[in-house]
């Protein structure tokens, strides 16, 4: 599928929230919405909705697809520390760009991550970090190979791959069905994608689909295997009736 050898250089770009992200020549796309901002997007589209829904849990396993600069994992830790939460979190995050992970110790992160710099350094060096509250495990290699091998049951999935147009194999109904195999009864998934094809692929795999309106950011999607009350529900059967030509992405469209 993907080649693990050297990947093209990436350029640092400044987002509108004042935080830095990268632009990938390989995928012809930035790692974050430069308008919403790397840290802001991570907090509003992933961390806050997920931790709000799971606020009563004392321990959680989060699948962060894919690690990249690690904003989603790091922003989760930042948010938990800032709010003095005691939740224990086990992060599992696939990433095939090993050079990128090794370079993270030199990346210019926002000041909010200053106190977690030792965590960034450990991940950058060992692809692993552990203390009493947090464990972070980077799964080296192609997510399509590593995700089906995960043995832990996942509570939260941050789906933050490059866009379906540029990295479709991480958005197909077959990939989502691998995610279902490692999910719990009430697993939820957060993603910036609001595309009908992606929502359909999640719906076909048993997720209820909701719109999430974060603060000062573009709306996003929350998908949950258990019905939720505090989010705007999308009736996917109605969507299908209104848009009969819409379909989910399938592996065989891209291989
Ligand atoms: C949009 S970026 C992730 C952004 C990340 N959440 C962050 O905060 O920086 C997508 C990442 O997926 C990685 N990637 C793309 N396809 C992959 C695959 N098939 N397996 C593993 N990693 C992949 C890329 O190397 C890149 O780091």
């Amino acid at each position: 599928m993907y080649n693990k050898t050297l990947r093209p250089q990436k350029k640092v770009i400044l987002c509108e929230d004042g935080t830095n992200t990268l632009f990938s020549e390989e995928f012809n796309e930035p790692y974050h919405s430069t308008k919403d901002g790397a840290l802001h997007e991570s907090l509003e589209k992933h961390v806050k909705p997920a931790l709000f829904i799971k606020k009563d849990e004392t321990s959680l396993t989060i699948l962060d697809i894919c690690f990249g600069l690690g904003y989603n994992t790091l922003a989760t830790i930042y948010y938990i520390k800032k709010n003095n939460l005691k939740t224990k979190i086990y992060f599992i995050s696939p990433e095939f760009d090993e050079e990128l992970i090794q370079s993270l110790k030199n990346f210019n992160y926002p000041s909010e991550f200053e106190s977690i710099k030792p965590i960034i350094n450990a991940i950058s060096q060992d692809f692993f970090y552990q203390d009493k509250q947090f464990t972070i495990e980077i799964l080296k290699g192609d997510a399509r190979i590593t995700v089906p091998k995960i043995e832990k049951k996942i509570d939260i999935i941050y789906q933050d791959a490059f866009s379906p147009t540029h990295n479709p194999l991480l958005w197909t109904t077959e990939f989502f069905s691998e995610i279902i195999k490692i999910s719990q009864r009430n697993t939820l998934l957060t993603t910036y994608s609001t595309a009908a094809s992606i929502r359909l692929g999640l719906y076909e795999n048993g997720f209820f689909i909701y719109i999430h309106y974060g603060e000062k950011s573009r709306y996003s999607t929350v998908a949950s295997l258990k019905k939720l009350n505090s989010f705007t529900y999308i009736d996917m059967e109605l969507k299908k009736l209104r848009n009969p030509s819409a379909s989910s992405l399938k592996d065989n469209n891209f291989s």
Side-chain angles (χ1 to χ4, degrees):
M1 282 186 190
Y2 290 98
N3 189 339
K4 121 169 214 226
T5 53
L6 289 187
R7 320 208 84 88
Q9 281 300 315
K10 290 154 270 273
K11 281 193 214 95
V12 177
I13 40 176
L14 181 64
C15 302
E16 287 189 20
D17 70 343
T19 60
N20 290 320
T21 188
L22 293 177
F23 185 88
S24 164
E25 302 287 343
E26 184 181 7
F27 290 94
N28 193 25
E29 211 170 71
Y31 279 54
H32 298 91
S33 152
T34 52
K35 191 155 180 41
D36 288 335
L39 177 59
H40 186 71
E41 173 169 53
S42 181
L43 287 169
E44 294 303 325
K45 297 182 185 169
H46 298 284
V47 180
K48 286 191 191 172
L51 294 186
F52 170 75
I53 295 165
K54 297 289 187 188
K55 57 183 174 305
D56 296 329
E57 306 288 335
T58 53
S59 90
L60 292 167
T61 301
I62 298 181
L63 174 62
D64 182 4
I65 305 171
C66 294
F67 196 79
L69 294 165
Y71 268 97
N72 295 335
T73 291
L74 300 171
T76 306
I77 295 174
Y78 160 71
Y79 184 86
I80 285 195
K81 283 177 176 280
K82 188 175 164 219
N83 292 288
N84 205 18
L85 306 177
K86 301 291 169 231
T87 327
K88 282 190 168 187
I89 307 207
Y90 197 111
F91 297 92
I92 303 175
S93 188
E95 178 55 63
F96 63 16
D97 190 344
E98 294 182 27
E99 284 212 328
L100 172 65
I101 303 286
Q102 284 161 342
S103 74
L104 295 183
K105 57 180 174 301
N106 299 318
F107 190 77
N108 194 2
Y109 284 106
S111 57
E112 284 85 343
F113 291 173
E114 203 48 49
S115 69
I116 53 178
K117 184 77 181 144
I119 301 182
I120 298 169
N121 290 343
I123 299 165
S124 193
Q125 185 180 307
D126 305 327
F127 294 76
F128 185 80
Y129 172 81
Q130 190 160 47
D131 62 25
K132 284 193 183 132
Q133 191 172 13
F134 305 112
T135 302
I136 304 168
E137 193 187 337
I138 309 283
L139 302 181
K140 294 183 201 174
D142 188 335
R144 289 299 305 256
I145 294 169
T146 57
V147 167
K149 293 183 186 154
I150 293 173
E151 288 177 359
K152 287 179 90 68
K153 287 285 184 192
I154 306 297
D155 300 293
I156 296 168
I157 300 135
Y158 296 150
Q159 169 53 309
D160 196 27
F162 285 118
S163 69
T165 310
H166 293 105
N167 199 4
L169 286 173
L170 295 188
W171 298 91
T172 61
T173 189
E174 290 89 347
F175 184 54
F176 292 148
S177 77
E178 293 298 342
I179 286 176
I180 288 294
K181 290 182 198 155
I182 53 167
S183 291
Q184 318 261 25
R185 206 177 35 84
N186 58 355
T187 294
L188 70 96
L189 177 148
T190 55
T191 180
Y192 65 85
S193 176
T194 54
S197 58
I198 302 313
R199 287 176 165 170
L200 267 174
L202 291 166
Y203 177 67
E204 286 164 6
N205 276 288
F207 282 99
F208 298 103
I209 309 296
Y210 299 87
I211 307 180
H212 170 58
Y213 298 96
E215 238 174 78
K216 292 188 200 152
S217 63
R218 206 176 161 267
Y219 63 96
S220 61
T221 299
V222 168
S224 173
L225 291 176
K226 192 180 136 195
K227 281 207 161 164
L228 303 174
N229 294 321
S230 35
F231 290 80
T232 310
Y233 175 69
I234 302 180
D235 183 339
M236 293 305 292
E237 286 303 320
L238 192 62
K239 290 270 174 201
K240 285 196 321 192
L241 276 177
R242 289 189 182 152
N243 187 0
S245 62
S247 62
S248 55
L249 305 188
K250 305 282 188 307
D251 276 354
N252 63 13
N253 299 147
F254 307 102
S255 40

